[in-house]
């Protein structure tokens, strides 16, 4: 959660936070210092795991400490790659430590997904969004890529428009599209199932991360960038139930494993994992996205601005963080966003 928060806003109150009325105006810690803290916390937790003494009441993994080790090391790997353009030496060290652990998520059977309940208080939020309304439709950009590349995930990620025609059209980005039935929707597998499992970390994400690291010359424990690139595509497609023949046709037509190719396939594999997808797009600046012509501000945000309550209640430290980090708007790049 802390990584999600700092990747959204940047600097945050931390070392002086959580003190109640004893500290109502905490200073902000830089994003770099927050990443240093997160690595230390993850490594400390990994060092305390006891494979034979899992906790009772573990809703995530039922007390399986090996799964927690995979979770921790995959988190460490993701954090390391996130900072690779800002602190290459630390990133390489942390990434290679995660690889050396042998505890990364490398197969779909080990994917970490959140299990939602079947009742209205704990069910899949995508199902809730479509419970009585149909406001969410597919983007013309995303559907265009799926169609242009003859990507078989199109028929797993989405369903055709309701207008009586087998139509997988996406809607213009940012436009008010009143007649939603003219456009493709998220598949029923997601929006009609209250217990649909939401991905946190997957084998596809791991393999694309290993592919990128291999291009950097880091130790990835074996396998080339091309090999991990192919395994990433296969893991994504198999996880979504794509037929083997269709998968093989796609991988045979997509063998080049340069950074742009890896970034594109990682983007497509992170479907429905919006925060992670947004972070990776900001870091890699690919695939190329065109801002909506319907937007009031024709720029794609690279962070969220702080709440106005911060300005009102913590003005001195707010002024300090703006001076250090940059203007408090949606377009000031974070510490790790160097490209």
């Amino acid at each position: 959660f802390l990584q999600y928060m700092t990747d959204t806003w940047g600097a945050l109150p931390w070392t002086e936070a959580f003190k109640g009325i004893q500290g109502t105006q905490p200073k902000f810690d830089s994003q770099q210092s927050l990443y240093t803290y997160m690595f230390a916390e993850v490594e400390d937790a990994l060092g305390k795991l006891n494979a034979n003494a899992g906790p009772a009441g573990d809703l995530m993994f039922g007390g399986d400490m090996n799964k927690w080790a995979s979770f921790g090391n995959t988190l460490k790997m993701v954090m390391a790659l996130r900072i690779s353009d800002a602190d290459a030496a630390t990133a390489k060290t942390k990434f290679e430590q995660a690889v050396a652990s042998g505890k990364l998520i490398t197969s779909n059977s080990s994917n970490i997904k959140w299990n939602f309940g079947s009742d209205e208080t704990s069910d899949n939020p995508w199902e809730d969004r479509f419970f009585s309304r149909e406001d969410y439709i597919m983007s013309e950009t995303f559907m265009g890529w799926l169609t242009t590349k003859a990507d078989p995930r199109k028929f797993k990620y989405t369903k055709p428009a309701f207008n009586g025609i087998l139509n997988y059209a996406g809607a213009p980005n940012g436009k008010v599209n009143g007649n939603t039935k003219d456009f493709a929707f998220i598949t029923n597998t997601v929006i009609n199932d209250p217990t649909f499992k939401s991905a946190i970390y997957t084998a596809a994400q791991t393999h694309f991360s290993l592919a990128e690291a291999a291009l950097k010359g880091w130790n990835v424990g074996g396998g080339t960038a091309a090999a991990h690139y192919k395994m990433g595509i296969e893991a994504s497609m198999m996880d979504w139930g794509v037929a083997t023949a269709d998968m093989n046709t796609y991988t045979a037509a997509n063998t080049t494993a340069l950074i742009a190719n890896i970034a594109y396939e990682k983007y497509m594999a992170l479907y429905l994992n919006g925060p992670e997808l947004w972070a990776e797009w900001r870091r890699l600046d690919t695939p190329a996205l065109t801002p909506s012509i319907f937007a009031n501000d024709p720029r794609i945000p690279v962070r969220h601005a702080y709440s106005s309550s911060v300005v009102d209640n913590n003005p001195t430290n707010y002024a300090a963080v703006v001076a250090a980090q940059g203007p408090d708007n949606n377009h000031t790049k974070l510490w790790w966003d160097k490209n």
Side-chain angles (χ1 to χ4, degrees):
F1 283 113
L2 178 56
Q3 188 196 14
Y4 163 74
M5 290 167 65
T6 185
D7 286 355
T8 300
W9 287 283
L12 296 168
W14 195 256
T15 55
E16 292 187 1
F18 316 113
K19 296 181 179 180
I21 61 173
Q22 302 302 318
T24 58
Q25 295 182 321
K27 74 174 184 180
F28 283 69
D29 294 75
S30 70
Q31 184 171 64
Q32 183 175 9
S33 66
L34 290 172
Y35 264 84
T36 299
Y37 167 84
M38 289 190 293
F39 280 122
E41 283 289 287
V42 170
E43 289 164 358
D44 180 60
L46 286 169
K48 291 177 178 176
L49 292 181
N50 183 336
N52 299 315
D58 176 5
L59 296 178
M60 285 289 289
F61 303 126
D64 188 334
M65 291 294 97
N66 285 319
K67 291 183 179 179
W68 276 111
S70 294
F71 194 175
N73 280 289
T74 303
L75 169 60
K76 185 175 178 178
M77 175 199 72
V78 170
M79 291 195 303
L81 203 55
R82 187 68 41 80
I83 69 168
S84 58
D85 291 327
D87 186 349
T90 299
K92 180 176 184 292
T93 297
K94 301 299 186 183
F95 191 98
E96 291 181 345
Q97 288 173 354
V99 170
S101 74
K103 295 288 186 178
L104 296 177
I105 299 164
T106 55
S107 67
N108 284 337
S109 62
S110 300
N111 286 350
I112 296 177
K113 297 185 178 182
W114 180 255
N115 295 313
F116 290 100
S118 58
D119 61 275
E120 283 302 313
T121 59
S122 64
D123 57 345
N124 160 31
W126 283 111
E127 191 265 348
D128 280 344
R129 292 182 182 118
F130 286 84
F131 189 75
S132 60
R133 296 176 63 101
E134 295 172 342
D135 294 337
Y136 297 87
I137 46 184
M138 300 303 298
S139 156
E140 64 179 358
T141 302
F142 194 73
M143 297 308 298
W145 288 336
L146 290 169
T147 300
T148 298
K149 291 181 70 71
D151 191 327
R153 284 172 293 192
K154 179 170 79 171
F155 308 106
K156 300 298 182 178
Y157 286 173
T158 71
K159 64 177 180 178
F162 295 115
N163 56 11
I165 306 171
L166 192 60
N167 173 23
Y168 282 89
N173 302 315
K175 184 181 180 181
V176 176
N177 298 292
N179 195 10
T180 59
K181 295 184 182 297
D182 288 341
F183 303 102
F185 279 74
I186 299 172
T187 176
N188 285 339
T189 302
V190 175
I191 64 175
N192 284 1
D193 181 1
T195 64
F196 174 79
K197 296 179 180 181
S198 182
I200 300 175
Y201 292 125
T202 65
Q205 184 175 4
T206 296
H207 284 297
F208 290 129
S209 298
L210 292 170
E212 182 182 349
L215 285 184
K216 294 177 181 293
W218 296 358
N219 183 356
V220 298
T224 63
H228 285 293
Y229 172 71
K230 183 173 184 287
M231 285 189 283
I233 296 173
E234 291 174 339
S236 173
M237 292 194 173
M238 287 188 287
D239 192 38
W240 280 88
V242 171
T244 301
D246 294 334
M247 177 182 72
N248 291 341
T249 298
Y250 185 88
T251 55
N254 294 275
T255 57
T256 304
L258 300 178
I259 188 61
N261 309 102
I262 295 168
Y264 171 84
E265 288 296 343
K266 193 175 194 179
Y267 186 98
M268 302 304 282
L270 285 169
Y271 178 61
L272 298 184
N273 190 343
E276 189 66 20
L277 188 155
W278 182 41
E280 287 295 82
W281 176 81
R282 287 177 287 162
R283 180 177 70 86
L284 294 165
D285 291 290
T286 192
L289 296 175
T290 302
S292 169
I293 62 173
F294 303 102
N296 291 330
D297 185 338
R299 294 175 292 174
I300 299 174
V302 294
R303 70 178 286 269
H304 282 309
Y306 299 118
S307 166
S308 60
S309 64
V310 177
V311 186
D312 297 335
N313 298 314
N314 197 0
T316 300
N317 288 307
Y318 174 78
V321 74
V322 170
Q325 181 169 266
D328 182 24
N329 56 42
N330 293 345
H331 307 292
T332 293
K333 287 192 171 186
L334 303 180
W335 165 69
W336 51 253
D337 187 2
K338 298 298 184 182
N339 295 326

